[in-house]
């Protein structure tokens, strides 16, 4: 790549890794992971190729939503360590080339947060307007609740003052009134602290809920509020403190609405957003063995400003949400990957990890990750994905996928010296237990998923056009195959994935697609051949830009466009 543009947007080609301190490694034998444990595994993450660690909440919490119900934004949970441990972690990570971003929950606090304890005392308490209160009877909001198993309204009557407060999530998570300038000031202050302690950005929780201003009757709204102003303000503020900082938003909305959360023409709000739509399309495509839903999603993905990016993922710490599929499509995914009602959650998702969903089939598991890493954007792994950990369905709700990291083959998976029954969560038994799935065995095995994943990460890092480039889906006549071209300046790679179990041969062509948008005096050199990035080998082109690719069932190839005269170092 001539890379005439500055290459200082580190997050364009980062490899993200989400982990929770509590479930990563326990160093003091209390059965719960801690910051020291996380720090001692930074070398492990660096070896895997991770360049950015996303930490789930580690703040003091009332323990009602795995740390997403915060009682103090300004420090760490004493069970995890202290602020100095946090700074050590960031420092050690930096020294190994890993940046740290942290979960940031600005939509709500715990009801045990001192602000809320004050707020609920009286209607004229100075903290009253830190939260969203209404005196009139709320409308029926039962259809909008996020956790329908325990909540039936977004509003809760608080006896003491006889008014209702807004809570988009559990009733113990009252929504902050981000329209209140004082609250916004507090949010900036909190961000300022963590930036000073060395973080490189924030994973901003539950962004669309900050925008739900219409939930509050106009006459009771004290402040005029444009939520975009808040995001713009925070982005600018973070940028002033440290120009490298990213805001990575959790924004599960249709593509047509996603653009506005990135901001105006220069992308001045969220830096990155998770691609929830693409993720759901991948699962539908995998369930059908038909790549067309994904091809359609990719074609509908809004093109982004250079200062923005998508984060691609297959699984995260929540249920695999399928809420943007139609009922019939969702049922197809349920039938394929989670037929037992106990695997399903809130009628919209699956509380499972990827490998058991794919029947433990190594071909399909690798195909899925190859696909994810080849999609334009920045890949994001959830801890344990690199070794193919499974879920523990004995644990209720979403926590089934948040079991301790499996480092070794013993009963505690090398996570802790505590007794197995004293662990923060029970480790799965059976085929996904630590005896069969653990880091220690896989790291020294050239054929393991861990080794595959580290190769995938290295190839992704060697292919900056995936992070920087534009995507085009190539036409062909095999429904089970996705063939897509990513290109940036004169760098280009085509990835071909067969989602079906039968071998196929696809005929593809670059005619009218490759280099189409290249401008400038220096025309790129003609293509010499395509070089296999994952499995080696090469593919020759016919004189008109056409080429054939043969794939096994669930087969995949990444093919780098090699031009005449190129000297390849990767
Ligand atoms: C989204 C988080 O991913 C989820 O785990 C949490 O329960 C809600 N936001 C509320 O903070
Ligand atoms: Ca511990």
């Amino acid at each position: 790549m001539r890379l005439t543009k500055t290459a200082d947007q580190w997050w364009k080609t980062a490899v993200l890794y989400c982990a929770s301190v509590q479930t990563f490694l326990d160093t003091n034998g209390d059965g719960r992971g801690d910051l020291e444990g996380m720090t001692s595994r930074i070398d492990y993450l660096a070896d895997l190729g991770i360049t950015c660690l996303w930490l789930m909440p580690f703040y003091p919490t009332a323990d009602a939503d795995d740390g997403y119900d915060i009682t103090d934004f300004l420090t760490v949970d004493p069970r995890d360590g202290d602020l100095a441990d946090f700074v050590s972690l960031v420092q050690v990570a930096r020294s190994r080339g890993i940046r740290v971003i942290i979960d940031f929950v600005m939509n709500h606090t715990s009801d045990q947060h001192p602000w809320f304890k004050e707020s609920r005392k009286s209607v004229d308490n100075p903290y009253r307007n830190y939260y969203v209160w209404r005196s009139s009877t709320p409308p029926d909001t039962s259809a909008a609740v996020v956790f329908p198993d325990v909540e039936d309204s977004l509003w809760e009557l608080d006896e003491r003052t006889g008014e209702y407060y807004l809570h988009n999530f559990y009733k113990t998570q009252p929504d902050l009134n981000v329209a209140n300038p004082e609250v916004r000031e507090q949010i900036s202050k909190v961000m300022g602290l963590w930036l000073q302690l060395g973080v490189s950005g924030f994973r901003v929780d539950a962004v669309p809920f900050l925008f739900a201003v219409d939930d509050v009757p106009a006459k009771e709204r004290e402040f005029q509020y444009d939520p975009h102003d808040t995001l713009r303000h925070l982005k600018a503020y973070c940028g002033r403190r440290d120009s490298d900082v990213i805001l990575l938003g959790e924004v599960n909305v249709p593509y047509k609405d996603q653009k506005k959360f990135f901001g105006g023409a220069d992308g001045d709000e969220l830096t990155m957003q998770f691609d929830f739509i693409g993720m759901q399309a991948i699962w539908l495509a995998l369930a059908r063995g038909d790549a067309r839903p994904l091809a359609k999603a990719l074609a509908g993905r809004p093109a982004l400003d250079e200062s923005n990016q998508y984060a691609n993922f297959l699984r995260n710490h929540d249920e695999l949400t399928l809420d943007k599929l139609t009922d019939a499509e969702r049922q197809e995914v349920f039938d394929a990957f989670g037929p037992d009602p106990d695997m399903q959650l809130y009628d919209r998702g699956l509380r499972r990890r990827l490998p058991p969903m794919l029947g433990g089939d190594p071909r399909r598991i690798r195909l899925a990750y190859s696909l994810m890493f080849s999609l334009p954007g920045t890949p994001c792994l959830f801890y344990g994905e690199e070794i193919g950990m499974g879920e523990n369905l004995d644990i209720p709700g979403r926590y089934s996928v948040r079991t301790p990291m499996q480092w070794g083959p013993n009963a505690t998976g090398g996570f802790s010296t505590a007794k197995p029954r004293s662990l923060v969560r029970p480790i799965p038994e059976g085929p996904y237990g630590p005896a069969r799935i653990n880091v220690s065995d896989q790291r020294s095995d050239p054929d393991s998923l861990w080794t595959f994943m580290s190769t995938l990460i290295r190839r992704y890092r060697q292919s900056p056009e995936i992070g920087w480039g534009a995507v085009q889906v190539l036409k062909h006549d095999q429904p089970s195959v996705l063939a897509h071209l990513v290109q940036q300046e004169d760098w280009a790679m085509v990835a071909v994935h067969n989602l079906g179990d039968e071998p196929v041969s696809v005929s593809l062509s670059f005619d009218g697609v490759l280099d189409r948008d290249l401008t400038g005096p220096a025309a790129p050199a003609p293509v010499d051949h395509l070089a296999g990035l994952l499995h080696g080998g090469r593919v020759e082109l016919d004189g008109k830009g056409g080429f054939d690719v043969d794939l096994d069932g669930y087969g995949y190839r990444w093919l780098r466009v090699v031009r005449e005269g190129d000297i390849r170092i990767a």
Side-chain angles (χ1 to χ4, degrees):
M1 196 178 316
R2 284 190 295 268
L3 215 76
T4 45
K5 301 181 181 84
T6 50
D8 57 4
Q9 283 160 275
W10 61 270
W11 39 273
K12 280 283 201 185
T13 53
V15 180
L16 306 178
Y17 188 95
C18 168
S20 138
V21 172
Q22 298 91 293
T23 52
F24 211 55
L25 183 70
D26 170 27
T27 55
N28 63 353
D30 66 355
R32 180 187 159 104
D34 37 57
L35 285 162
E36 250 189 84
M38 187 63 82
T39 308
S40 70
R41 289 296 190 240
I42 290 295
D43 280 329
Y44 163 79
L45 295 176
D47 188 30
L48 179 60
I50 300 306
T51 66
C52 178
L53 172 62
W54 152 26
L55 291 181
M56 286 169 64
F58 48 78
Y59 313 91
T61 168
D63 280 335
D65 185 11
D66 203 18
Y68 286 92
D69 54 318
I70 295 167
T71 56
D72 184 355
F73 289 109
L74 300 176
T75 189
V76 305
D77 188 316
R79 293 170 295 182
D80 295 346
D82 57 29
L83 276 177
D85 294 322
F86 180 83
V87 171
S88 291
L89 166 61
V90 175
Q91 204 61 36
V92 170
R94 270 287 173 138
S95 74
R96 310 297 199 274
I98 297 178
R99 295 166 192 266
V100 177
I101 65 172
I102 59 175
D103 234 301
F104 191 74
V105 186
M106 62 179 176
N107 180 69
H108 49 268
T109 67
S110 160
D111 62 353
Q112 300 306 308
H113 194 290
W115 296 340
F116 191 70
K117 286 185 176 171
E118 283 298 314
S119 184
R120 75 197 315 181
K121 279 184 180 162
S122 68
V123 293
D124 50 11
N125 186 281
Y127 287 89
R128 187 66 169 180
N129 278 326
Y130 268 48
Y131 295 86
V132 183
W133 293 92
R134 67 186 288 156
S135 52
S136 52
T137 311
D140 178 5
T141 48
S142 53
V145 300
V146 178
F147 301 130
D149 52 340
V150 279
E151 304 297 349
D152 55 13
S153 170
L154 302 183
W155 294 94
E156 181 68 11
L157 177 65
D158 205 35
E159 298 292 348
R160 188 138 163 201
T161 55
E163 291 192 349
Y164 301 80
Y165 65 86
L166 178 69
H167 62 90
N168 272 293
F169 297 94
Y170 295 118
K171 60 168 73 68
T172 54
Q173 291 167 304
D175 272 42
L176 278 166
N177 184 3
V178 279
N180 180 346
E182 268 184 63
V183 171
R184 295 215 294 269
E185 192 59 32
Q186 293 278 12
I187 290 171
S188 303
K189 201 173 94 174
V190 172
M191 283 182 153
L193 170 76
W194 295 103
L195 289 174
Q196 205 64 33
L197 295 182
V199 306
S200 297
F202 302 93
R203 178 266 189 189
V204 187
D205 188 67
V207 174
F209 296 96
L210 301 169
F211 286 68
V213 278
D214 294 339
D215 289 330
V216 190
K219 64 181 171 42
E220 296 183 40
R221 243 186 273 146
E222 177 127 337
F223 307 99
Q224 288 302 316
Y225 174 55
D226 175 1
H228 290 285
D229 270 355
T230 302
L231 287 182
R232 239 188 323 269
H233 165 85
L234 287 176
K235 176 76 173 299
Y237 168 82
C238 289
R240 285 196 302 275
R241 294 283 167 108
D242 180 346
S243 54
D244 257 7
V245 167
I246 60 164
L247 298 181
L248 163 60
E250 183 200 22
V251 190
N252 179 9
V253 297
Y255 276 145
K256 68 178 174 37
D257 301 324
Q258 200 149 25
K259 200 69 202 283
K260 61 178 186 254
F261 293 91
F262 283 116
D266 49 353
D268 55 357
E269 295 182 30
L270 294 173
T271 324
M272 297 174 66
Q273 292 179 46
F274 290 104
D275 184 3
F276 278 92
I277 301 301
M279 182 277 290
Q280 299 186 41
I282 293 178
W283 281 104
L284 181 61
L286 288 170
R288 288 183 178 168
D290 183 333
R292 287 172 295 184
L294 177 56
K296 190 171 155 214
L298 280 178
R301 233 189 192 197
L304 298 185
D305 190 272
E306 195 173 276
S307 51
N308 296 131
Q309 178 75 316
Y310 286 110
N312 297 314
F313 68 110
L314 291 171
R315 286 299 292 115
N316 66 13
H317 60 290
D318 288 325
E319 78 278 9
L320 160 59
T321 184
L322 300 164
D323 65 338
K324 297 296 184 288
L325 301 182
T326 65
D327 291 349
E329 290 168 344
R330 186 178 318 109
Q331 193 57 49
E332 282 182 67
V333 182
F334 280 5
D335 291 346
F337 301 133
D340 184 338
D342 187 37
M343 298 167 173
Q344 301 161 13
L345 198 62
Y346 314 134
D347 294 332
R348 64 169 182 250
L350 294 171
R351 50 189 212 101
R352 308 196 71 191
R353 279 182 175 261
L354 181 142
M357 281 193 274
L358 298 184
D361 182 342
R363 297 171 308 159
R364 281 184 108 179
I365 296 168
R366 288 164 201 230
L367 165 84
Y369 285 111
S370 167
L371 187 55
M372 173 186 124
F373 272 81
S374 72
L375 294 179
T378 300
C380 181
L381 289 171
F382 180 48
Y383 77 91
E385 284 197 280
E386 71 273 31
I387 53 169
M389 273 170 52
E391 70 277 353
N392 184 353
L393 290 173
D394 294 342
I395 306 174
R398 292 170 295 157
Y399 296 175
S400 53
V401 301
R402 304 185 197 174
T403 56
M405 181 68 183
Q406 294 172 195
W407 300 103
N410 69 352
T412 60
F415 162 74
S416 171
T417 54
K419 297 253 177 328
R421 64 172 183 283
S422 315
L423 302 189
V424 64
R425 274 185 207 117
I427 287 187
E429 290 171 2
Y432 291 94
R436 305 226 192 126
I437 307 284
N438 68 70
V439 171
S440 157
D441 291 347
Q442 290 197 24
R443 237 174 139 189
S444 51
D445 174 359
D447 297 323
S448 69
L449 183 60
W450 191 93
T451 303
F452 171 77
M453 210 68 104
S454 66
T455 304
L456 211 47
I457 291 173
R458 192 165 311 120
R459 295 294 174 256
Y460 170 82
R461 297 278 291 167
Q462 290 164 348
S463 311
E465 66 268 45
I466 305 177
W468 283 89
V471 63
Q472 274 150 306
V473 175
L474 302 185
K475 291 203 182 76
H476 58 80
D477 57 7
Q478 294 291 349
S480 68
V481 173
L482 181 81
H484 67 281
L485 171 72
V486 282
Q487 53 187 331
Q488 169 74 4
E489 299 178 3
D490 58 347
W491 277 52
M493 184 195 90
V494 59
V496 195
H497 290 85
N498 178 14
L499 277 57
D501 58 357
E502 295 292 325
V504 284
S505 179
V506 257
S507 296
L508 299 164
S509 173
F510 285 146
D511 193 25
V513 202
L514 187 68
D515 302 336
R516 196 183 59 187
D517 301 323
L518 266 191
T519 51
V527 178
D528 190 79
H529 67 277
L530 305 178
L533 286 177
L534 295 176
H535 312 284
R538 58 191 271 159
V539 172
E540 307 296 337
L541 272 69
D542 65 26
K544 292 180 251 136
F547 57 99
D548 295 329
V549 179
D550 298 326
L551 296 167
D552 292 337
Y554 303 125
Y556 47 88
R557 308 228 20 210
W558 289 21
L559 299 166
R560 156 69 36 73
V561 174
V562 181
R563 295 171 191 273
E564 286 173 13
D566 269 0
I567 297 172
R568 313 256 16 121
I569 58 161

